[in-house]
């Protein structure tokens, strides 16, 4: 009989892992993933999170004691009107995202929800394994009918030597809104692979704000397809890369029709010997006229040993569009430091104020549910 | 001048940025209760003097002393000088996105209070304290909850500088072209704030090009700076003379060429 541990071992074979030579993995060293011992990885029980109790009307699910299910069980919950549990569509084993390929081979926890027209849900998913060498592979699916609304706060923690493989999928009908906040915190030996696949119908809105801190390797691959355009997508990403971490954001937004909008801001703070990779693909085919897309990548490099690879990638065929992009890499400004110091603020605190200031725009855009979670230990 | 020891005494100060010497032997003595004005052309070294006194790391002191309350502060970090009571009002206050103006003011105020042996103010006490000082510069409180100087007009930035001065209560305030970029009303408000903060136990050094600030704040001493030195010192009438005659006559009297002859 194949055990869960065996399945992790089988999943992490050279045949499964991408080749470094592939363009999308060119800047990302897979060594931290290969360094994990699949034979020791196993689902670990969840811990009760150190978070304030959920606000009234908010549903909170945590990682169960078996490490592969939610607690309480979704089937046992009295969901708000118009919300019902459904099956998670099967993952495609040959999908380009590594998280999707691995996720197809690994056990849960999994959660699928359907929101009927006009239904409203505020949901917190807190997945925090209790022990090191945890294997965690959540698969989440949300199907929002017309004018349904979901605010999702997704917290993913990675203890030492753990592997997190998470897949989040959603389909938004006309007028539906998904507001997603992600917080990924991992130990400096943990690896996270997170994929997102969202389909947006015209008139829908999808906002995703993610804060990633820690990890040895964290790769996020959110993909959005505005199937017929005329939808609104907002991405906000903050990477806090310290130590030897590699935090890698590969985003892709495709406009399948006219008048779609994208507002994307990625910020990364890179210290020590850490690395930040950003590859933002925006696809605007001929049918996507009058697309309005803005993409900005900003890096703050705090160490001479840090590394930044930033690759805006706009593929524009339509001729009547407004697409902007920008990428900056800077260090702390001497003038800003002197200004603060000239008011009696010591250099260490001045640096902290400036780095926090750099991060602030993303924290300010966190959806309310996840913004209410304590941020100690996240910010420098 | 006063019999009391000076608050700030600059002796033979020379300073350079890279290999370029900008200050070429500055002497200045400032006592409590005094207001000084330093005037001069663009490039004469006025702003450099203010930054060197405040400890800007881009400038290297090559000779001379900066004595504050009798102690040479040339080797102190900028924050140590500020905590001790030296204040520089910036000509171009720096915009710092993401750092709340209110939080910055609280941190700076508490750093100064601790240095003076006073207790730190908690958030509520600080807000009360801040409210009193806000009235001095007639500043819209909504600016407190914005990022530090970000998107502020020139006038609001200068008011924010004077607000910081009011909170930090420095012994010596050096205001670098506080009048630049101000309309008449803003100039009046800023000047009124500076005048109210000037007292018998502190001193103010105004760095300016023009007489108009000195019409609102009357200095006891006016110094003319050129070629990295203070060439001449007089009373308020010197500022009027400069306004009338320009700067070339000062160069000529000092036996120096005009600005075309000496690059600073």
């Amino acid at each position: 009989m194949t055990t869960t541990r065996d399945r992790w071992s089988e999943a992490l074979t050279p045949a499964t892992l991408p080749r470094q030579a592939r363009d999308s993995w060119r800047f990302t060293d897979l060594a931290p993933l290969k360094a994990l011992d699949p034979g020791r990885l196993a689902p670990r029980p969840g811990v009760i999170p150190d978070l304030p109790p959920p606000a009234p009307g908010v549903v909170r699910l945590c990682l169960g004691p078996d490490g592969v299910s939610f607690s309480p069980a979704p089937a046992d919950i009295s969901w708000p009107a118009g919300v019902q549990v459904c099956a998670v569509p099967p993952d495609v084993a040959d999908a380009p995202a590594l998280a999707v390929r691995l996720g197809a081979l690994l056990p849960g926890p999994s959660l699928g929800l359907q929101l009927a027209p006009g239904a409203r849900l505020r949901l917190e998913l807190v997945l925090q394994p209790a022990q090191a060498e945890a294997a965690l592979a959540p698969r989440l699916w949300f199907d929002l009918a017309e004018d349904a609304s979901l605010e999702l706060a997704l917290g993913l923690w990675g203890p030492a030597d753990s592997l997190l493989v998470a897949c989040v999928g959603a389909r938004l009908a006309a007028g539906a809104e998904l507001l997603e906040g992600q917080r990924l915190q991992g130990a400096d030996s943990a690896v996270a692979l997170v994929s997102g696949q969202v389909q947006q119908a015209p008139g829908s809105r999808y906002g995703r704000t993610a804060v990633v801190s820690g990890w040895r390797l964290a790769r996020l691959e959110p993909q959005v397809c505005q199937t017929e355009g005329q939808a609104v997508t907002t991405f906000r990403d903050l990477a806090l890369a310290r130590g030897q971490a590699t935090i890698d954001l590969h985003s892709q937004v495709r406009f399948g029709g006219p008048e779609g909008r994208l507002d994307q801001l990625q910020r990364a703070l890179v210290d020590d010997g850490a690395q930040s990779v950003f590859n933002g693909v925006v696809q605007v085919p001929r049918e996507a006229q009058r697309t309005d897309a803005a993409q900005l990548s900003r890096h703050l490099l705090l160490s001479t040993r840090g590394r930044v690879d930033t690759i805006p990638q706009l593929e524009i065929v339509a001729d009547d569009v407004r697409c902007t992009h920008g990428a900056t890499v800077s260090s702390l400004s001497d003038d800003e430091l002197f200004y603060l110091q000239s008011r009696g603020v010591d250099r260490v605190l001045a640096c902290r104020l400036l780095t926090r200031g750099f991060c602030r725009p993303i924290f300010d855009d966190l959806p309310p549910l996840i913004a209410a979670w304590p941020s100690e230990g996240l910010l420098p | 001048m006063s019999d009391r020891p000076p608050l700030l005494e600059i002796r033979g100060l020379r300073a350079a940025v890279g290999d370029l010497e900008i200050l070429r032997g500055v002497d200045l003595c400032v006592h409590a209760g005094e207001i000084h004005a330093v005037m001069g052309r663009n490039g004469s070294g006025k702003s450099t003097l203010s930054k060197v006194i405040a400890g800007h790391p881009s400038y290297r002191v090559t000779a001379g002393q900066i004595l504050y309350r009798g102690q040479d502060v040339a080797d102190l970090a900028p924050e140590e000088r500020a905590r001790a009571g030296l204040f520089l009002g910036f000509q171009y206050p720096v915009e710092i996105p993401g750092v709340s103006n209110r939080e910055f003011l609280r941190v700076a105020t508490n750093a100064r209070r601790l240095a003076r042996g006073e207790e730190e103010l908690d958030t509520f006490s600080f807000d009360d304290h801040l409210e009193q000082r806000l009235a001095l510069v007639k500043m819209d409180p909504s600016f407190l909850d914005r990022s530090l100087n970000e998107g502020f007009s020139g006038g609001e930035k200068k008011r924010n500088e004077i607000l910081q001065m009011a909170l930090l209560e420095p012994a010596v305030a050096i205001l670098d072209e506080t009048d630049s970029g101000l309309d008449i009303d803003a100039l009046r408000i800023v000047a009124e704030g500076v005048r109210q903060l000037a007292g018998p136990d502190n001193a103010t050094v105004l760095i300016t090009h023009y007489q108009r600030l000195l019409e609102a704040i009357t200095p006891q001493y006016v110094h003319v700076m050129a070629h990295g030195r203070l060439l001449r010192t007089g009373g308020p009438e010197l500022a009027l003379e400069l306004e009338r005659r320009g700067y070339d006559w000062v160069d000529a009297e000092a036996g120096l060429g005009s600005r075309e002859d000496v690059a600073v």
Side-chain angles (χ1 to χ4, degrees), chain A residues 298 333-349 353-354 356-358 360-361, chain B residues 54-57 78-79 82-83 87-88 90 94-99 104 107-108 111 149 161 164 168:
Chain A
R298 293 199 59 194
S333 153
D334 286 342
D335 283 339
E336 291 179 0
L337 277 171
F338 175 64
Y339 188 74
L340 297 178
Q341 288 179 274
S342 76
R343 299 300 183 251
V345 181
D346 69 57
R347 191 175 173 85
V348 172
L349 181 54
L353 285 173
L354 293 179
R356 288 184 171 210
F358 177 81
R360 181 58 49 200
Chain B
H56 195 294
E79 62 267 33
R83 289 177 198 165
F87 177 87
L88 169 61
F90 282 60
V94 180
E95 296 192 10
I96 305 188
V99 174
F104 161 68
V107 168
N149 292 327
E161 292 292 288
Q164 291 166 39
L168 299 178

Side-chain angles (χ1 to χ4, degrees), chain B residues 42-68:
Chain B
N42 286 329
S44 60
K46 305 185 302 295
S47 290
T48 297
L49 175 62
S50 68
K51 287 178 185 168
V52 170
I53 294 171
H56 195 294
S58 297
Y59 299 90
R60 185 166 46 90
V61 172
T62 54
Q65 291 180 302
I66 305 167
L67 300 170
Y68 172 68

Side-chain angles (χ1 to χ4, degrees), chain A residues 256-291:
Chain A
E259 297 171 7
R261 284 169 52 196
L262 166 68
D263 177 8
Q264 179 171 21
L265 172 62
Q266 178 260 355
R267 286 183 176 234
L269 192 151
V270 181
D271 203 353
D272 307 318
Q275 179 190 14
S276 168
V277 183
F278 171 66
N279 181 203
V281 178
V282 178
Q283 296 173 327
V284 188
R286 187 173 306 281
E287 60 270 26
Q289 301 293 342
R290 297 176 299 286
T291 292

Side-chain angles (χ1 to χ4, degrees), chain A residues 208-222:
Chain A
R208 169 189 163 282
T209 304
V211 177
V212 185
S213 176
W215 305 95
R216 181 65 177 84
L217 168 63
R219 179 165 167 124
L220 283 70
E221 295 180 82

Side-chain angles (χ1 to χ4, degrees), chain B residues 217-240:
Chain B
I217 309 168
T218 308
Q220 288 97 336
Y221 303 98
V222 174
H223 311 273
V224 183
M225 191 159 199
H227 313 301
R229 281 188 283 158
L230 296 179
L231 292 184
R232 199 175 161 145
T233 295
E237 70 285 351
L238 180 55
L240 294 169

